[in-house]
Amino acid sequence: MRRPGRPTLSDEQLLDIALDLFLEHGFERTSIDAITAAAGMAKRTVYARYADKEALFKAALARAIDEWMVPPERLRAAEVEDLEKSLLAIAQMLLTNILSPAGLRLLRLSNAVSVSMPEIAAANTRMGTEPTLAYLADLFRRRLLPGDAPAPEADEAALAFLHLVVGGPASTAAWGVAFDDESIDRHTRYCVRLFLHGALPARDQGLIERENRRLKAQAEDVAEALDSLNKKLRDGV
């Protein structure tokens, strides 16, 4: 707690102190009196910057999300030639971030106030989710979908990937279920493979690929035989 008379805190310092209290006690049980006491500031100084507790809360949460989210540049830097390895690295980064103590506290706090302040959920989506979705959609356009695929398909693929790989563990952890590192790694690897290849086991995927190659070769042989037969018919043989 700061003693009155010290230099006024910057906005960033005030928001950090307010967020700590909001995270610890929740929005309803955190008073402006508690925030001003912890910051060593007069109420009039706080109210000169923020109209009320809700405005202060939204600003503190927005600052925390901005600092916590994984920048798209970091996700892009994880790309390698192998798409599956790229998606695995990206998924691990996103999960590590959301399952961190700071990530879970932000998620729980956002969930707690989403009913009374639905605009909080919308703001979280804009700040924390939309940049990630935009990056993933761009990745899938570049490296997964055919060039003539409709534009919405990349957006749907990005949303499906995020829900499948990140959404499940995040929602479960927010309810207090703990995951060990091995479980998270297993989940991540399975879901990335599921996203790219479907639910078939990897060995069956190999069988399907070999069968596809065999059928393609067989079709080429048939086409060649038909061409030869057509030529003979044209020549009157």
Side-chain angles (χ1 to χ4, degrees):
M1 184 181 297
R2 298 177 71 254
R3 292 194 304 272
R6 290 188 179 184
T8 301
L9 296 179
S10 67
D11 245 14
E12 290 77 11
Q13 291 171 314
L14 171 60
L15 293 176
D16 286 343
I17 290 172
L19 182 69
D20 285 341
L21 292 173
F22 285 130
L23 289 172
E24 183 177 354
H25 304 294
F27 175 78
E28 296 296 339
R29 295 193 300 273
T30 300
S31 65
I32 287 290
D33 287 333
I35 294 171
T36 56
M41 298 174 69
K43 278 188 182 181
R44 63 178 179 275
T45 305
V46 174
Y47 283 130
R49 300 181 187 184
Y50 301 98
D52 51 29
K53 186 176 76 168
E54 183 175 323
L56 178 59
F57 173 73
K58 291 177 180 177
L61 194 59
R63 170 174 163 77
I65 292 171
D66 186 55
E67 291 189 336
W68 159 80
M69 66 175 286
V70 181
E73 295 76 20
R74 279 186 57 200
L75 300 176
R76 188 180 295 273
E79 289 185 37
V80 294
E81 185 175 351
D82 187 307
L83 178 58
E84 187 163 348
K85 289 182 179 178
S86 298
L87 290 178
L88 182 61
I90 290 165
Q92 288 169 337
M93 291 171 63
L94 293 173
L95 275 170
T96 297
N97 197 48
I98 193 66
L99 297 179
S100 67
L104 286 176
R105 288 200 305 171
L106 280 174
L107 182 61
R108 288 166 180 157
L109 182 60
S110 299
N111 289 344
V113 299
S114 61
V115 174
S116 58
M117 289 184 281
E119 65 275 16
I120 291 293
N124 286 357
T125 299
R126 286 194 302 272
M127 293 185 62
T129 306
E130 286 184 0
T132 302
L133 286 172
Y135 161 73
L136 289 171
D138 174 68
L139 171 63
F140 296 146
R141 288 188 191 97
R142 289 185 284 114
R143 304 190 54 182
L144 181 63
L145 298 174
D148 59 351
E153 285 195 16
D155 298 328
E156 292 296 333
L159 190 61
F161 178 84
L162 205 60
H163 281 322
L164 177 66
V165 179
V166 181
S171 296
T172 305
W175 286 98
V177 178
F179 296 97
D180 57 45
D181 292 342
E182 183 180 349
S183 297
I184 290 296
D185 183 66
R186 184 170 59 249
H187 163 86
T188 307
R189 292 179 184 279
Y190 179 81
C191 286
V192 167
R193 184 174 63 79
L194 177 63
F195 175 81
L196 283 177
H197 307 298
L200 292 173
R203 61 179 181 276
D204 290 345
Q205 284 289 338
L207 289 173
I208 289 175
E209 290 173 4
R210 288 194 295 273
E211 181 65 10
N212 284 340
R213 287 195 297 269
R214 185 187 70 79
L215 291 173
K216 182 179 179 181
Q218 191 176 63
E220 290 173 351
D221 291 341
V222 171
E224 186 177 342
L226 288 173
D227 286 343
S228 177
L229 179 59
N230 286 331
K231 183 178 179 183
K232 290 179 180 180
L233 289 173
R234 287 195 304 269
D235 294 342
V237 177

